[in-house]
Amino acid sequence: MIIVAFITGVLGPISILYIKYLLDKRKKKPDIVKDTLRVSELVDSKIEHIKDEFKADRVWISQFHNGGNFYPTGKSIAKFSIMYEVVSMGTTSVQSNFKNIPVNLFSKSINQLLVNDIIEIEDFTDETIATYGLKYIAEESGCKSAYLFAIKTIEDKFIGVLAIDYTKEVTRLDMESINHLQVHASSIGGVLMSYLQQ
């Protein structure tokens, strides 16, 4: 009786743990390259659709990330990079110009997005429209109108920006289009978070 109790009470759980260990060991580890390519394909497809649907010249997504550490405190430096971009024929890309940019260099625009979720700049040449420090970037990239949307998680964590640029002509988006783009930004946030949490 004591032997049976010992076998079922001690060796049974140990056997189960060992079998679980062997099964876990067999499971495939995530393929980071495959997963990255899958997410990139989804996001690229989504922003290509946005470009076509809203007749935009350039659509891009930036994401916040850790960009190194301050000396001597070791505190992380918040930075952002344009991770995804699509452009129409004849429109220049800006992606290579925005890699590892310290957040504090764009504090006006990023804070506006953090608080209000959107920046609407119908015409960069109109002095009555707030441009949140983005006017010189628009001039350099030939942007006439821009609409930027905060990408946030379900928990309201600000993780990136969806931007729609018009370089060929000044473009005014109506409220229905703005609302639709906010839905797209939320959807992209879901895709990015599901990837980041793997």
Side-chain angles (χ1 to χ4, degrees), residues 45-68:
S45 171
K46 186 95 170 148
I47 62 176
E48 186 72 44
H49 171 78
I50 291 168
K51 179 179 72 69
D52 294 343
E53 182 179 357
F54 295 95
K55 297 174 177 54
D57 298 307
R58 179 172 44 233
V59 178
W60 51 266
I61 292 174
S62 66
Q63 287 181 266
F64 299 112
H65 56 86
N66 179 351

PDB file of all heavy atoms in Angstrom, residues 45-68:
ATOM      1  N   SER A  45       0.258  45.597 -46.993  1.00  0.00           N
ATOM      2  CA  SER A  45      -1.003  45.455 -47.720  1.00  0.00           C
ATOM      3  C   SER A  45      -2.031  46.469 -47.216  1.00  0.00           C
ATOM      4  O   SER A  45      -2.739  47.103 -48.004  1.00  0.00           O
ATOM      5  CB  SER A  45      -1.529  44.032 -47.548  1.00  0.00           C
ATOM      6  OG  SER A  45      -2.826  43.907 -48.041  1.00  0.00           O
ATOM      7  N   LYS A  46      -2.072  46.634 -45.906  1.00  0.00           N
ATOM      8  CA  LYS A  46      -3.026  47.571 -45.294  1.00  0.00           C
ATOM      9  C   LYS A  46      -2.724  49.009 -45.714  1.00  0.00           C
ATOM     10  O   LYS A  46      -3.635  49.753 -46.094  1.00  0.00           O
ATOM     11  CB  LYS A  46      -2.949  47.429 -43.772  1.00  0.00           C
ATOM     12  CG  LYS A  46      -3.961  48.217 -43.017  1.00  0.00           C
ATOM     13  CD  LYS A  46      -5.138  47.354 -42.717  1.00  0.00           C
ATOM     14  CE  LYS A  46      -6.060  48.044 -41.747  1.00  0.00           C
ATOM     15  NZ  LYS A  46      -7.436  47.667 -41.984  1.00  0.00           N
ATOM     16  N   ILE A  47      -1.465  49.424 -45.672  1.00  0.00           N
ATOM     17  CA  ILE A  47      -1.167  50.815 -46.016  1.00  0.00           C
ATOM     18  C   ILE A  47      -1.240  51.054 -47.526  1.00  0.00           C
ATOM     19  O   ILE A  47      -1.550  52.170 -47.959  1.00  0.00           O
ATOM     20  CB  ILE A  47       0.156  51.329 -45.390  1.00  0.00           C
ATOM     21  CG1 ILE A  47       1.379  50.564 -45.876  1.00  0.00           C
ATOM     22  CG2 ILE A  47       0.049  51.321 -43.866  1.00  0.00           C
ATOM     23  CD1 ILE A  47       2.700  51.123 -45.345  1.00  0.00           C
ATOM     24  N   GLU A  48      -0.997  50.026 -48.314  1.00  0.00           N
ATOM     25  CA  GLU A  48      -1.210  50.149 -49.769  1.00  0.00           C
ATOM     26  C   GLU A  48      -2.694  50.379 -50.041  1.00  0.00           C
ATOM     27  O   GLU A  48      -3.069  51.218 -50.879  1.00  0.00           O
ATOM     28  CB  GLU A  48      -0.711  48.888 -50.481  1.00  0.00           C
ATOM     29  CG  GLU A  48      -0.757  48.964 -51.991  1.00  0.00           C
ATOM     30  CD  GLU A  48       0.294  49.886 -52.584  1.00  0.00           C
ATOM     31  OE1 GLU A  48       1.457  49.841 -52.149  1.00  0.00           O
ATOM     32  OE2 GLU A  48      -0.062  50.655 -53.498  1.00  0.00           O
ATOM     33  N   HIS A  49      -3.544  49.649 -49.336  1.00  0.00           N
ATOM     34  CA  HIS A  49      -4.996  49.827 -49.458  1.00  0.00           C
ATOM     35  C   HIS A  49      -5.398  51.248 -49.042  1.00  0.00           C
ATOM     36  O   HIS A  49      -6.217  51.883 -49.718  1.00  0.00           O
ATOM     37  CB  HIS A  49      -5.723  48.780 -48.598  1.00  0.00           C
ATOM     38  CG  HIS A  49      -7.187  49.003 -48.487  1.00  0.00           C
ATOM     39  ND1 HIS A  49      -8.070  48.673 -49.498  1.00  0.00           N
ATOM     40  CD2 HIS A  49      -7.934  49.555 -47.496  1.00  0.00           C
ATOM     41  CE1 HIS A  49      -9.296  49.011 -49.118  1.00  0.00           C
ATOM     42  NE2 HIS A  49      -9.238  49.537 -47.917  1.00  0.00           N
ATOM     43  N   ILE A  50      -4.837  51.736 -47.958  1.00  0.00           N
ATOM     44  CA  ILE A  50      -5.135  53.104 -47.499  1.00  0.00           C
ATOM     45  C   ILE A  50      -4.705  54.117 -48.563  1.00  0.00           C
ATOM     46  O   ILE A  50      -5.449  55.059 -48.877  1.00  0.00           O
ATOM     47  CB  ILE A  50      -4.437  53.389 -46.147  1.00  0.00           C
ATOM     48  CG1 ILE A  50      -5.085  52.557 -45.032  1.00  0.00           C
ATOM     49  CG2 ILE A  50      -4.471  54.878 -45.810  1.00  0.00           C
ATOM     50  CD1 ILE A  50      -4.301  52.544 -43.730  1.00  0.00           C
ATOM     51  N   LYS A  51      -3.514  53.927 -49.117  1.00  0.00           N
ATOM     52  CA  LYS A  51      -3.019  54.847 -50.161  1.00  0.00           C
ATOM     53  C   LYS A  51      -3.994  54.910 -51.325  1.00  0.00           C
ATOM     54  O   LYS A  51      -4.356  55.992 -51.800  1.00  0.00           O
ATOM     55  CB  LYS A  51      -1.638  54.414 -50.639  1.00  0.00           C
ATOM     56  CG  LYS A  51      -1.054  55.301 -51.744  1.00  0.00           C
ATOM     57  CD  LYS A  51       0.328  54.848 -52.182  1.00  0.00           C
ATOM     58  CE  LYS A  51       0.343  53.584 -52.967  1.00  0.00           C
ATOM     59  NZ  LYS A  51      -0.244  53.637 -54.308  1.00  0.00           N
ATOM     60  N   ASP A  52      -4.445  53.749 -51.772  1.00  0.00           N
ATOM     61  CA  ASP A  52      -5.364  53.692 -52.908  1.00  0.00           C
ATOM     62  C   ASP A  52      -6.744  54.243 -52.547  1.00  0.00           C
ATOM     63  O   ASP A  52      -7.323  55.013 -53.314  1.00  0.00           O
ATOM     64  CB  ASP A  52      -5.489  52.252 -53.413  1.00  0.00           C
ATOM     65  CG  ASP A  52      -4.198  51.714 -54.005  1.00  0.00           C
ATOM     66  OD1 ASP A  52      -3.289  52.526 -54.321  1.00  0.00           O
ATOM     67  OD2 ASP A  52      -4.072  50.479 -54.123  1.00  0.00           O
ATOM     68  N   GLU A  53      -7.262  53.853 -51.402  1.00  0.00           N
ATOM     69  CA  GLU A  53      -8.607  54.271 -50.991  1.00  0.00           C
ATOM     70  C   GLU A  53      -8.713  55.788 -50.820  1.00  0.00           C
ATOM     71  O   GLU A  53      -9.721  56.390 -51.203  1.00  0.00           O
ATOM     72  CB  GLU A  53      -8.990  53.576 -49.681  1.00  0.00           C
ATOM     73  CG  GLU A  53     -10.386  53.912 -49.197  1.00  0.00           C
ATOM     74  CD  GLU A  53     -10.762  53.200 -47.912  1.00  0.00           C
ATOM     75  OE1 GLU A  53      -9.967  52.376 -47.399  1.00  0.00           O
ATOM     76  OE2 GLU A  53     -11.864  53.466 -47.404  1.00  0.00           O
ATOM     77  N   PHE A  54      -7.672  56.411 -50.274  1.00  0.00           N
ATOM     78  CA  PHE A  54      -7.723  57.854 -50.002  1.00  0.00           C
ATOM     79  C   PHE A  54      -6.910  58.675 -51.006  1.00  0.00           C
ATOM     80  O   PHE A  54      -6.684  59.856 -50.805  1.00  0.00           O
ATOM     81  CB  PHE A  54      -7.276  58.126 -48.562  1.00  0.00           C
ATOM     82  CG  PHE A  54      -8.221  57.529 -47.559  1.00  0.00           C
ATOM     83  CD1 PHE A  54      -7.975  56.271 -47.024  1.00  0.00           C
ATOM     84  CD2 PHE A  54      -9.373  58.197 -47.194  1.00  0.00           C
ATOM     85  CE1 PHE A  54      -8.865  55.699 -46.134  1.00  0.00           C
ATOM     86  CE2 PHE A  54     -10.274  57.632 -46.301  1.00  0.00           C
ATOM     87  CZ  PHE A  54     -10.015  56.380 -45.771  1.00  0.00           C
ATOM     88  N   LYS A  55      -6.463  58.012 -52.077  1.00  0.00           N
ATOM     89  CA  LYS A  55      -5.710  58.661 -53.156  1.00  0.00           C
ATOM     90  C   LYS A  55      -4.532  59.476 -52.619  1.00  0.00           C
ATOM     91  O   LYS A  55      -4.278  60.602 -53.043  1.00  0.00           O
ATOM     92  CB  LYS A  55      -6.638  59.522 -54.011  1.00  0.00           C
ATOM     93  CG  LYS A  55      -7.715  58.711 -54.717  1.00  0.00           C
ATOM     94  CD  LYS A  55      -8.697  59.592 -55.442  1.00  0.00           C
ATOM     95  CE  LYS A  55      -9.736  58.821 -56.205  1.00  0.00           C
ATOM     96  NZ  LYS A  55     -10.495  57.838 -55.480  1.00  0.00           N
ATOM     97  N   ALA A  56      -3.829  58.872 -51.667  1.00  0.00           N
ATOM     98  CA  ALA A  56      -2.673  59.518 -51.037  1.00  0.00           C
ATOM     99  C   ALA A  56      -1.430  59.281 -51.878  1.00  0.00           C
ATOM    100  O   ALA A  56      -1.390  58.371 -52.710  1.00  0.00           O
ATOM    101  CB  ALA A  56      -2.467  58.964 -49.625  1.00  0.00           C
ATOM    102  N   ASP A  57      -0.424  60.116 -51.664  1.00  0.00           N
ATOM    103  CA  ASP A  57       0.836  59.961 -52.377  1.00  0.00           C
ATOM    104  C   ASP A  57       1.857  59.164 -51.564  1.00  0.00           C
ATOM    105  O   ASP A  57       2.726  58.500 -52.124  1.00  0.00           O
ATOM    106  CB  ASP A  57       1.414  61.338 -52.721  1.00  0.00           C
ATOM    107  CG  ASP A  57       0.465  62.102 -53.632  1.00  0.00           C
ATOM    108  OD1 ASP A  57       0.075  61.546 -54.673  1.00  0.00           O
ATOM    109  OD2 ASP A  57       0.098  63.237 -53.289  1.00  0.00           O
ATOM    110  N   ARG A  58       1.730  59.251 -50.246  1.00  0.00           N
ATOM    111  CA  ARG A  58       2.672  58.529 -49.382  1.00  0.00           C
ATOM    112  C   ARG A  58       1.922  58.170 -48.095  1.00  0.00           C
ATOM    113  O   ARG A  58       1.239  59.001 -47.506  1.00  0.00           O
ATOM    114  CB  ARG A  58       3.875  59.424 -49.068  1.00  0.00           C
ATOM    115  CG  ARG A  58       4.910  58.820 -48.183  1.00  0.00           C
ATOM    116  CD  ARG A  58       6.182  59.677 -48.068  1.00  0.00           C
ATOM    117  NE  ARG A  58       5.913  61.088 -47.881  1.00  0.00           N
ATOM    118  CZ  ARG A  58       6.422  62.064 -48.650  1.00  0.00           C
ATOM    119  NH1 ARG A  58       7.233  61.793 -49.650  1.00  0.00           N
ATOM    120  NH2 ARG A  58       6.129  63.320 -48.408  1.00  0.00           N
ATOM    121  N   VAL A  59       2.068  56.917 -47.676  1.00  0.00           N
ATOM    122  CA  VAL A  59       1.510  56.460 -46.397  1.00  0.00           C
ATOM    123  C   VAL A  59       2.637  55.762 -45.665  1.00  0.00           C
ATOM    124  O   VAL A  59       3.332  54.921 -46.236  1.00  0.00           O
ATOM    125  CB  VAL A  59       0.318  55.495 -46.599  1.00  0.00           C
ATOM    126  CG1 VAL A  59      -0.206  55.010 -45.244  1.00  0.00           C
ATOM    127  CG2 VAL A  59      -0.799  56.159 -47.401  1.00  0.00           C
ATOM    128  N   TRP A  60       2.835  56.130 -44.409  1.00  0.00           N
ATOM    129  CA  TRP A  60       3.909  55.517 -43.635  1.00  0.00           C
ATOM    130  C   TRP A  60       3.479  55.282 -42.199  1.00  0.00           C
ATOM    131  O   TRP A  60       2.523  55.878 -41.704  1.00  0.00           O
ATOM    132  CB  TRP A  60       5.190  56.344 -43.689  1.00  0.00           C
ATOM    133  CG  TRP A  60       5.076  57.811 -43.358  1.00  0.00           C
ATOM    134  CD1 TRP A  60       4.897  58.835 -44.237  1.00  0.00           C
ATOM    135  CD2 TRP A  60       5.155  58.417 -42.066  1.00  0.00           C
ATOM    136  NE1 TRP A  60       4.859  60.045 -43.571  1.00  0.00           N
ATOM    137  CE2 TRP A  60       5.020  59.810 -42.234  1.00  0.00           C
ATOM    138  CE3 TRP A  60       5.329  57.912 -40.768  1.00  0.00           C
ATOM    139  CZ2 TRP A  60       5.045  60.707 -41.169  1.00  0.00           C
ATOM    140  CZ3 TRP A  60       5.353  58.805 -39.701  1.00  0.00           C
ATOM    141  CH2 TRP A  60       5.216  60.185 -39.921  1.00  0.00           C
ATOM    142  N   ILE A  61       4.204  54.370 -41.569  1.00  0.00           N
ATOM    143  CA  ILE A  61       3.969  54.053 -40.155  1.00  0.00           C
ATOM    144  C   ILE A  61       5.301  54.138 -39.433  1.00  0.00           C
ATOM    145  O   ILE A  61       6.292  53.535 -39.851  1.00  0.00           O
ATOM    146  CB  ILE A  61       3.385  52.634 -39.981  1.00  0.00           C
ATOM    147  CG1 ILE A  61       1.976  52.580 -40.560  1.00  0.00           C
ATOM    148  CG2 ILE A  61       3.388  52.218 -38.514  1.00  0.00           C
ATOM    149  CD1 ILE A  61       1.377  51.196 -40.577  1.00  0.00           C
ATOM    150  N   SER A  62       5.311  54.902 -38.353  1.00  0.00           N
ATOM    151  CA  SER A  62       6.492  54.913 -37.486  1.00  0.00           C
ATOM    152  C   SER A  62       6.139  54.188 -36.195  1.00  0.00           C
ATOM    153  O   SER A  62       4.977  54.127 -35.806  1.00  0.00           O
ATOM    154  CB  SER A  62       6.949  56.347 -37.189  1.00  0.00           C
ATOM    155  OG  SER A  62       5.986  57.022 -36.417  1.00  0.00           O
ATOM    156  N   GLN A  63       7.166  53.632 -35.569  1.00  0.00           N
ATOM    157  CA  GLN A  63       6.985  52.949 -34.289  1.00  0.00           C
ATOM    158  C   GLN A  63       8.032  53.445 -33.310  1.00  0.00           C
ATOM    159  O   GLN A  63       9.166  53.753 -33.689  1.00  0.00           O
ATOM    160  CB  GLN A  63       7.138  51.438 -34.458  1.00  0.00           C
ATOM    161  CG  GLN A  63       5.978  50.789 -35.168  1.00  0.00           C
ATOM    162  CD  GLN A  63       6.179  49.295 -35.290  1.00  0.00           C
ATOM    163  OE1 GLN A  63       6.684  48.828 -36.299  1.00  0.00           O
ATOM    164  NE2 GLN A  63       5.777  48.553 -34.261  1.00  0.00           N
ATOM    165  N   PHE A  64       7.623  53.523 -32.053  1.00  0.00           N
ATOM    166  CA  PHE A  64       8.536  53.918 -30.987  1.00  0.00           C
ATOM    167  C   PHE A  64       9.346  52.705 -30.559  1.00  0.00           C
ATOM    168  O   PHE A  64       8.868  51.576 -30.582  1.00  0.00           O
ATOM    169  CB  PHE A  64       7.760  54.479 -29.790  1.00  0.00           C
ATOM    170  CG  PHE A  64       6.959  55.693 -30.140  1.00  0.00           C
ATOM    171  CD1 PHE A  64       5.575  55.653 -30.149  1.00  0.00           C
ATOM    172  CD2 PHE A  64       7.583  56.884 -30.481  1.00  0.00           C
ATOM    173  CE1 PHE A  64       4.835  56.766 -30.486  1.00  0.00           C
ATOM    174  CE2 PHE A  64       6.853  58.007 -30.821  1.00  0.00           C
ATOM    175  CZ  PHE A  64       5.475  57.946 -30.824  1.00  0.00           C
ATOM    176  N   HIS A  65      10.600  52.962 -30.165  1.00  0.00           N
ATOM    177  CA  HIS A  65      11.464  51.872 -29.724  1.00  0.00           C
ATOM    178  C   HIS A  65      12.559  52.437 -28.817  1.00  0.00           C
ATOM    179  O   HIS A  65      12.743  53.644 -28.717  1.00  0.00           O
ATOM    180  CB  HIS A  65      12.076  51.136 -30.928  1.00  0.00           C
ATOM    181  CG  HIS A  65      12.843  52.022 -31.865  1.00  0.00           C
ATOM    182  ND1 HIS A  65      14.169  52.339 -31.688  1.00  0.00           N
ATOM    183  CD2 HIS A  65      12.457  52.659 -32.998  1.00  0.00           C
ATOM    184  CE1 HIS A  65      14.569  53.133 -32.672  1.00  0.00           C
ATOM    185  NE2 HIS A  65      13.547  53.348 -33.484  1.00  0.00           N
ATOM    186  N   ASN A  66      13.268  51.526 -28.185  1.00  0.00           N
ATOM    187  CA  ASN A  66      14.408  51.892 -27.352  1.00  0.00           C
ATOM    188  C   ASN A  66      15.574  52.158 -28.295  1.00  0.00           C
ATOM    189  O   ASN A  66      15.870  51.354 -29.159  1.00  0.00           O
ATOM    190  CB  ASN A  66      14.735  50.734 -26.405  1.00  0.00           C
ATOM    191  CG  ASN A  66      15.923  51.009 -25.523  1.00  0.00           C
ATOM    192  OD1 ASN A  66      16.634  51.998 -25.698  1.00  0.00           O
ATOM    193  ND2 ASN A  66      16.155  50.135 -24.572  1.00  0.00           N
ATOM    194  N   GLY A  67      16.240  53.288 -28.101  1.00  0.00           N
ATOM    195  CA  GLY A  67      17.313  53.632 -29.019  1.00  0.00           C
ATOM    196  C   GLY A  67      18.659  53.775 -28.363  1.00  0.00           C
ATOM    197  O   GLY A  67      19.432  54.649 -28.725  1.00  0.00           O
ATOM    198  N   GLY A  68      18.941  52.979 -27.384  1.00  0.00           N
ATOM    199  CA  GLY A  68      20.205  53.094 -26.686  1.00  0.00           C
ATOM    200  C   GLY A  68      19.990  53.643 -25.289  1.00  0.00           C
ATOM    201  O   GLY A  68      18.863  53.732 -24.811  1.00  0.00           O
TER     202      GLY A  68
END
